[in-house]
Amino acid sequence: MRVFSTLLLITSLLLSSTGYSEQKYNDQKVVYHMNYHDESRISETMTNIANHIQAVGEEHIEIKVVVHGQAIEYFMDAVNDQAKQISIDSLRLSDVQFIICGNTLDGYKVTREDLYDVEEEDVVQAGLPAIIDLQQRGYIYVRP
C-alpha cells in the first residue's frame, strides 16, 4: 500500500511539473545594467537576457544593455575570445542593443574600435544618464 501511494505521488508530481502554463506577457521594454567584471555574473546576465527573450518572445520585447565600468573589459576581451563573441552576437541577433559608456572608454583610454563589434551609435556620453533616460521612456530597470 505504501509503495502504491509513493508511486501515485511521484506520478502526480511528474505530470504536474512537465509543462508550463501558456503564459502571455505584455510587450516589454527593458534596460539591463551591467557594470561588473565578474565573468560568471556576466555570463549569467547574458543567460537571463536570453531566457527573458524566449519567455516573452522577440516580437514582444525591446532590450538595451547599458555597459560601463569594469564590464567594458568583457567587450575588450571579446575581440580575441570567440566564446564571448558568440555570447554577444547571439543576443544581438535577437535585437538586443549593447550601449557603451563613453566616460568608461575615456577612463580605460580605449576607443570603441578596441571593443568587439561596437558601432558609433552604440556609444553614449555617460552610462548612468542613459539608464535614467531609458527609464523615463518607459524601459524597466533590471540589474542581475
Side-chain angles (χ1 to χ4, degrees), residues 28-47:
Q28 299 179 5
K29 295 179 358 178
V30 184
V31 56
Y32 278 81
H33 182 187
M34 191 184 315
N35 70 336
Y36 34 84
H37 185 260
D38 180 347
E39 286 193 26
S40 65
R41 188 170 175 193
I42 290 175
S43 177
E44 290 170 5
T45 298
M46 300 289 206
T47 299

Side-chain angles (χ1 to χ4, degrees), residues 83-109:
K84 290 177 182 169
Q85 291 173 12
I86 291 169
S87 178
I88 294 166
D89 289 344
S90 67
L91 293 178
R92 282 188 176 141
L93 286 172
S94 295
D95 293 327
V96 172
Q97 181 189 13
F98 292 94
I99 298 172
I100 307 299
C101 174
N103 288 339
T104 300
L105 294 178
D106 293 344
Y108 273 80
K109 295 180 180 21

Side-chain angles (χ1 to χ4, degrees), residues 46-99:
M46 300 289 206
T47 299
N48 289 159
I49 294 168
N51 289 343
H52 195 160
I53 293 166
Q54 182 180 11
V56 176
E58 274 185 52
E59 63 281 358
H60 297 287
I61 192 164
E62 290 180 42
I63 295 181
K64 314 272 187 198
V65 181
V66 176
V67 179
H68 68 104
Q70 292 180 326
I72 203 75
E73 295 176 27
Y74 188 86
F75 285 78
M76 293 166 64
D77 295 344
V79 170
N80 298 310
D81 186 325
Q82 189 174 22
K84 290 177 182 169
Q85 291 173 12
I86 291 169
S87 178
I88 294 166
D89 289 344
S90 67
L91 293 178
R92 282 188 176 141
L93 286 172
S94 295
D95 293 327
V96 172
Q97 181 189 13
F98 292 94
I99 298 172

Side-chain angles (χ1 to χ4, degrees), residues 105-120:
L105 294 178
D106 293 344
Y108 273 80
K109 295 180 180 21
V110 297
T111 67
R112 69 176 179 81
E113 290 86 4
D114 297 313
L115 308 180
Y116 176 70
D117 199 26
V118 173
E119 301 296 325
E120 187 175 343

